[in-house]
Structure formats: structure tokens, C-alpha cells
Amino acid sequence: MNKIIFCLSFLIGSSVLAQDKKCLTQVNFNIGKTFTSFMYEDAEGNTNKNLSYRSGTSYSLNLGFKLGAKHMLRPEVIYQQSGAKSTVNNAPIEWALNYIGAGVGYLYTALEKESFSLSPGLVLNANYMMSGEQTIGTNRFNITEQDLLKPIDIMASLTLNSRFKVTDNLFINFDYRYGFGLMDIENIEGDENEKTRNMGHMASLGLSFNL
């Protein structure tokens, strides 16, 4: 956990340093869809094969700090809906989780043309669960009020970003991410071998402005 906090602090500190060097070059606004589930293991290492994806939405604002010709840091704030679906004894179960978070990404410009660019990278986010609900059949449970899951989650995401030029200063921005939780979000006392982590895909579309 200390290593995760150190890495996040290092990346955020790097973005602040980048700001001091006045290399802020982009502002990006994105709206997207999320398709999320859980990575679950019980005390014996068995997975839950009944888990499936649920869809949601995401909204993000990030800044682009250019570090050299091909490297960029992108601090961001993000709201995203997560969760999963499953069944137990033919009863449907759904977890609907709403997170707000902050983080920073690193992008490497692998391809850059006059009207198009393609950049793979890595994003690290610290997220806070604003609200959550678990539905079992017709019964609903407030996850945050009943402390059914931990409120804090750390996510790492592999990302692929592309920008399409509209004008010299305006671009269409497309971003795909595959993310996985670095923390167990189970709030169960006693059996620490039972693990649940967030995971999923996010595809977003938005506007990117050159500064």
C-alpha cells in the first residue's frame, strides 16, 4: 500500500513540476461508457464464474503536460460508475457503485501525423465511493451506509488515446482503458483471504483543446 501511495505521489509531483516549466499544452473533456465487473477469489482461490459485466457512464477532465517530443503527463479528475452482476440460486444480484477520483496518466506518442495521433499509456487513480447499492432480487441495500465495501479504491489502467484534428486548436479525443483494482474492496472481518477487486473497460469520447 505504501508503494502505491509513493507512486501516486511521485506522478502527481511530476505533473506539478511540469506545470512549473509551463508545458501545459492540452485540456480534455470526455464522456464515456463503462463495462465493469469484479475479480473475486474466495479463501481457497476459487473464482465466481457467475459474475458478469454491468454498464455505466463516466465523465472526466484532464490536462496534458508535454515532456519532450513524445512524452505527456495527464493529471485528471474523473467520475465513473462501476459494479457487477451475478446470480445466486436463480436470484439476480447487482452492485451499482459511483466513484469520484483523481489521478495521473502517462502517454507515449507512438504515431503522430498532421491530423491524427495515437498514444498508449498507463493511468493511476485513487477513487472514493460516493454512493453504492446492492440489489438481491427485490431487496436493496445501501452499500455506503452499511459499510458493505471499502470506500477507497486504487485503480491502474492501460490506456490507448487517439486525437483527430478539427482545427489547429480543436481535436476530437477518443480514449480506451482497461483498468484493474490494486486493492481488495471487501469489508469483511475475519477471513482476509476472500478478495474482491474492481475491473473493467472504459471507452470515452470528447473534445481536446490545444493551448
Side-chain angles (χ1 to χ4, degrees), residues 15-166:
S15 68
V16 173
L17 178 61
Q19 187 175 13
D20 290 340
K21 293 182 178 179
K22 300 185 185 302
C23 55
L24 173 62
T25 60
Q26 294 178 16
V27 177
N28 306 302
F29 303 91
N30 296 302
I31 300 174
K33 291 290 293 182
T34 60
F35 298 91
T36 62
S37 187
F38 293 144
M39 293 184 289
Y40 171 84
E41 288 186 0
D42 63 17
E44 297 178 353
N46 299 314
T47 61
N48 184 346
K49 296 181 179 180
N50 290 326
L51 283 170
S52 61
Y53 287 87
R54 74 178 300 271
S55 63
T57 58
S58 68
Y59 304 91
S60 64
L61 165 66
N62 58 60
L63 306 176
F65 294 96
K66 197 164 186 178
L67 306 177
K70 292 184 175 293
H71 307 280
M72 179 170 288
L73 287 179
R74 290 201 314 181
E76 69 175 16
V77 292
I78 186 169
Y79 165 83
Q80 58 184 336
Q81 296 176 331
S82 300
K85 293 181 178 181
S86 185
T87 57
V88 174
N89 297 326
N90 295 322
I93 302 177
E94 183 171 357
W95 296 265
L97 313 177
N98 300 307
Y99 286 98
I100 188 167
V104 64
Y106 164 77
L107 294 179
Y108 174 79
T109 304
L111 177 65
E112 187 168 21
K113 301 294 184 180
E114 182 179 354
S115 59
F116 171 77
S117 66
L118 189 65
S119 304
L122 178 67
V123 183
L124 189 64
N125 292 94
N127 299 321
Y128 174 76
M129 190 192 304
M130 302 171 58
S131 62
E133 185 176 80
Q134 182 183 30
T135 304
I136 304 176
T138 58
N139 299 314
R140 297 178 182 272
F141 304 92
N142 191 308
I143 291 175
T144 52
E145 288 183 358
Q146 299 181 30
D147 294 326
L148 300 180
L149 296 174
K150 296 175 182 176
I152 302 297
D153 189 27
I154 305 294
M155 292 283 293
S157 301
L158 302 174
T159 185
L160 184 63
N161 176 261
S162 56
R163 299 173 83 220
F164 301 87
K165 183 177 179 179
V166 179

Side-chain angles (χ1 to χ4, degrees), residues 2 97 192:
N2 291 333
L97 313 177
E192 298 181 355

